[in-house]
């Protein structure tokens, strides 16, 4: 693998394919190495590492969106669309955080996910969690530039930059992080409905606000369902 990174010295046309191959090979090294025998590890510690990284990425998303929206306000002296973008972006970040932490990951890793295949599915699935969360911040910044005329993107394209990362985050978090906790197939229906509703929100006048409201509604559904399954009243 170390020798393979000499592909950086290849001519320009061959350099990018070489880098892609090396990245894929590096990612597969742990799978190959662990196939000979599982290294002892602590489920709660590993879960905490992934949770903290998710928090960091969501925090960077909030920071990037805040800087972009603040700059847009300074250039345009405030519009209703920018207020909707700011409020929707904040609502999205809070809802994404809540949904990710709706169930404790260490309980999965301590039981069913000690199986080799499931362990790596959970771990590598977080690549999509991290990238979609980071892309959300970039999407909000892109839409702020669209509102102030700093980009030539169409309204639909700018809206998709907001809604696609949110949909990918939602589907991935459900698939790798929440679905193993669920005992009935119907529990995934609200996630599918909200994900399907988020994408068309790109064509709405306020895609961030619509997406944030949909995610907030899903948070309410998940919280109520958890309260009922635990047999305890949901706190107000």
């Amino acid at each position: 693998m170390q020798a393979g990174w000499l592909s950086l010295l290849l001519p320009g046309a061959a350099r990018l394919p070489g880098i892609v191959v090396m990245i894929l090979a590096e990612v597969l090294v742990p799978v190959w190495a662990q196939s000979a025998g599982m290294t002892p590890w602590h489920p709660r510690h590993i879960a905490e590492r992934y949770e903290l990284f998710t928090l960091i990425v969501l925090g960077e998303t909030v920071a990037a969106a805040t800087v972009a929206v603040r700059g847009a306000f300074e250039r345009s002296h405030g519009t209703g669309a920018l207020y909707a973008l700011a409020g929707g972006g904040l609502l999205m970040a809070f809802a994404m955080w809540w949904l990710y932490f709706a169930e404790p990951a260490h309980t999965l890793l301590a039981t069913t996910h000690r199986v080799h295949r499931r362990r790596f599915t959970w771990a590598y699935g977080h690549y999509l969690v991290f990238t979609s969360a980071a892309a959300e911040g970039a999407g909000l910044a892109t839409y702020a530039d669209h509102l102030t005329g700093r980009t030539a993107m169409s309204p639909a394209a700018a809206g998709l930059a907001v809604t696609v990362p949110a949909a990918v985050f939602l589907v991935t978090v459900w698939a790798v992080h929440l679905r193993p906790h669920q005992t009935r197939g119907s529990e995934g229906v609200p996630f599918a409905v909200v994900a399907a509703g988020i994408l068309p929100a790109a064509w709405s006048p306020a895609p961030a606000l619509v997406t944030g409201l949909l995610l907030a509604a899903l948070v309410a559904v998940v919280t109520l369902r958890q309260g009922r399954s635990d047999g305890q009243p949901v706190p107000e």
Side-chain angles (χ1 to χ4, degrees):
M1 293 301 301
Q2 292 295 322
W5 281 108
L6 293 175
S7 60
L8 293 173
L9 303 177
L10 293 173
R15 188 177 304 153
L16 181 58
I19 291 174
V20 171
V21 170
M22 289 306 303
I23 290 174
L24 291 174
E26 290 277 11
V27 167
L28 291 175
V29 163
V31 180
W32 170 77
Q34 292 294 303
S35 63
M38 187 173 63
T39 302
W41 53 283
H42 195 288
R44 190 179 291 272
H45 174 74
I46 296 299
E48 182 188 32
R49 297 300 95 192
Y50 279 82
E51 289 168 353
L52 288 176
F53 200 84
T54 302
L55 278 177
I56 291 171
V57 176
L58 287 174
E60 292 293 338
T61 296
V62 172
T66 300
V67 171
V69 172
R70 183 178 63 186
F73 272 117
E74 292 175 351
R75 292 189 296 270
S76 62
H77 305 293
T79 65
L82 284 175
Y83 283 112
L85 176 64
L90 194 60
L91 192 58
M92 289 169 62
F94 287 160
M96 291 163 70
W97 168 81
W98 189 283
L99 290 170
Y100 182 86
F101 287 94
E103 296 286 354
H106 67 270
T107 58
L108 292 178
L109 300 179
T111 54
T112 59
H113 281 50
R114 276 195 173 276
V115 178
H116 185 77
R117 176 178 57 83
R118 292 182 177 180
R119 182 172 79 242
F120 280 109
T121 300
W122 182 86
Y124 285 121
H126 273 75
Y127 275 110
L128 282 177
V129 174
F130 300 148
T131 54
S132 59
E136 190 57 60
L140 292 170
T142 298
Y143 200 81
D145 288 341
H146 162 71
L147 291 176
T148 55
R150 298 190 70 193
T151 177
M153 294 178 68
S154 66
L160 287 171
V162 174
T163 60
V164 170
V168 172
F169 180 90
L170 177 60
V171 171
T172 307
V173 166
W174 174 80
V176 305
H177 201 60
L178 299 179
R179 182 179 58 83
H181 286 278
Q182 299 171 353
T183 58
R184 298 187 302 273
S186 60
E187 294 183 62
V189 172
F191 291 86
V193 171
V194 171
I198 285 175
L199 291 176
W203 285 268
S204 69
L209 184 58
V210 173
T211 300
L213 290 173
L214 287 171
L215 289 174
L218 179 60
V219 167
V221 171
V222 170
T223 303
L224 287 171
R225 179 170 289 172
Q226 286 178 331
R228 290 170 182 169
S229 64
D230 293 340
Q232 300 174 353
V234 178
E236 297 181 357

